[in-house]
Every structure is written in C-alpha cells, then in structure tokens.
Amino acid sequence: MTAPCAKLSFWGVRGSTPTVDPSTWRYGGNTPCLELIAPDGTQFILDCGTGLRMLGNRGASPSEGASAETHIFVTHYHWDHIQGIPFFAPLYAENNEFHFYSFRSKFLGRDSLKQVFEAQMAVPYFPVDMSAMSAKRRFKEVGGGDTFRIGENEITTAWLNHPQGCLGFRIETSAGSVVYATDNEPGDAKLDQSLRELAAGADIFINDAQYTPEQLASTRKGWGHSSWMDGARLAKEVGAKTLVLFHHDPDSTDRIVDTILKHAREEFESVFAASEGMVITLGAPGERVEAHMPGSRTALRREAHFRAHVCGVTEGGHAFEEDTIVKDLSLQGALISLKHSPRLQSELQVTMETPGVNGMERMQLRGYVVRIDGETEKGQTSVGVVFTD
C-alpha cells in the first residue's frame, strides 16, 4: 500500500508588512499564508496575508476531485495576517465554499472574524464590499485548548503570547503533524507551557523567528515575537522533528535570514527558513521530512559549458568537493549537475574556469541552494543555486 502523503506549501513568509526590496527577493516578501493538503484531500489554509493572492491565482484547485470545501485558520486579526482576503479570487466564485476559524476578540465580541472581514472592505478602505464575494462563507469561533475534527484530521488550538491575542494550530494527519505557531513571544509561563504541549513531537514545527535574541532582549521586547534561538531550544525540548523559521522581519535581508538559519542549524539539526515557493512533503510517521523548491524565480538564462569545482555540505551534514560542468547560467544563479545531493538552503562555493585574454581564469562565487530536482541522469542531482557573491 502507498504511504499517506501530505503537502505543505509556503505562499507568504514575511511578517508585519510586505517587502519588495531586491535584498529580500530570495526568501520572499509576501505576508503569512500557508497551504496544507492532507492525505484525505482536505485543503487547509493557514492565515490570509498577501501570499493568499498568489495561492488564489495559481489556477486549478489542488483538491479538485476531492473535497469542494476549504478550511481557513486565522491566527489573529493584525493586518499582515488578513490583508490578502479582498484579493483572493476564489472568494468571488459562487461554486466555492470556505470555512473560517478564529477566536472571539474581547475588543470586538461576537462574530469577531466576520466583523474583521466586513470592516476591512468597508467604505472608504476598499472599493467594493463583501457582497461582491459570491462564495459560501461560514465562520466558526474557536479558543485555545479546543480540539475538533475536519475530515480525517484532528485539529488542536492553543493560545499564544501576542498583543490582542493569537492562536496556534496543530493539524494531525495520517501522514504526520504540522504545528503552526507564529506571532508568539516567550516569557509567559502558562502560555509557554501550552505551546510546548501543542508542539510536542511535531513532524513540522513552524515557529515565529522575526527577531534576533539581542533584539528580543532589548528594543523589540513586548512586541509579541520570538527568535530563532527560542524556536531551536523549544524544538529540541519537545522532540519536534523539523523546525521551520517563519515570519521574517521586513528589515531582515536574505543575508540576515541566511545568518539566522546558520545559527539555528548549529543548535538543531533539521531546520529550514521559510521561503516562498518552498514545499515540504510529509510521508508516513517515522520517515524523513523532505523539502524542496519546485521552481526558480524568473531570470535571464543562457546555456553554458563551464568547468567548475563545487564545495558544500550534503543533506547528511558531510562536507564534499567535486568537479562538474555548469550547463545553465543566469545573471543571478546557475543550474549545476552534481553527484552529491546538498542540503536545501545550504551554502555552496563554486569556482568556475572561464576563458580570458590571458588564457583560462578562475571565477569564485558563493551561493545558496534553492532548488533540488532529483536525478536528471543516473547518479546525478540537478541543483539550482542563487549567487550572493
């Protein structure tokens, strides 16, 4: 029998406000939005930041032929987690049905989530109101500590430490468990314990890592966010299998996130930094978690044929060196065929030989693995690299 499989896709990973800076291009600038397709075909959406627009525009529904309904969990009502709602095209199609879940805010009272939707699209903030959305919409209030089932999946919630309140969600599927705990600041003993219970033994633990430990101890204290160090320590403490650093600060460039990822991997073995387009596949419990980038961003590409020497780290954590040929080159990166399979988001040193006026010259570049396509030829792996130096 085929083992059950779940697919987790990242459509928005930035916190607080979207970014379009070239320096944040590699990890992406859309605000929080994730999609989980469970083994039973149920489609879950986690938060409705600007990444929701991209999800809605991607074409055919991944759950086509399975469930016609989509279940959307909203962690809280701050702008970066709801601002994609008016631009989510499927909400304007009458054959769609959406179930929204979030908590009753003490500032809004009954039907808080529905109120937030209506207020965001009210005059003078938006040109059309919610009456333009012809899809069926149902709203359900949940609170911390609730447990309920959707299809074959069990959902558990927990309160997180964030101004005006926030929920964390755990989704148990037959392929494994995903815990989504963004916008949380450590330091409240009761809420820290509820997060430990929520994340215990999770296959995927997605945790807020907006600030550095230094920022969290000084200028950003009380703002409701966490650091890579807190996430790594918690993942280790509760036996989570893979940690995903999430909710990157808008002022954190790709280089800064690279550094954060490097530090986190020194504390916890299986760590990824959330990146737009990243997909994590969960297999049967006990199997290794896989993550990949299914495609690269558009770039000016040309066929090439350069001899190159590559140094990096394999998925198993072992240093390697090998000689190869670069066959596809752009102004921003390259597609390289390797015998070794490097770790996604790991650093590679690439030294290429190029013809010059004085004969063959060496060009030394540093980059990061953003794509792994598996075997293109027997014993070879096609590796996409974005150059940073």
Side-chain angles (χ1 to χ4, degrees), residues 264-287:
R265 283 181 170 164
E266 291 171 353
E267 297 291 329
F268 190 75
E269 181 179 2
S270 182
V271 186
F272 295 99
S275 175
E276 284 182 31
M278 187 170 79
V279 177
I280 294 180
T281 302
L282 286 82
E287 292 186 2

Side-chain angles (χ1 to χ4, degrees), residues 188-204:
D188 183 296
K190 183 178 179 180
L191 297 179
D192 287 349
Q193 179 58 29
S194 68
L195 178 55
R196 280 193 289 269
E197 294 172 359
L198 189 74
D203 292 285
I204 305 294

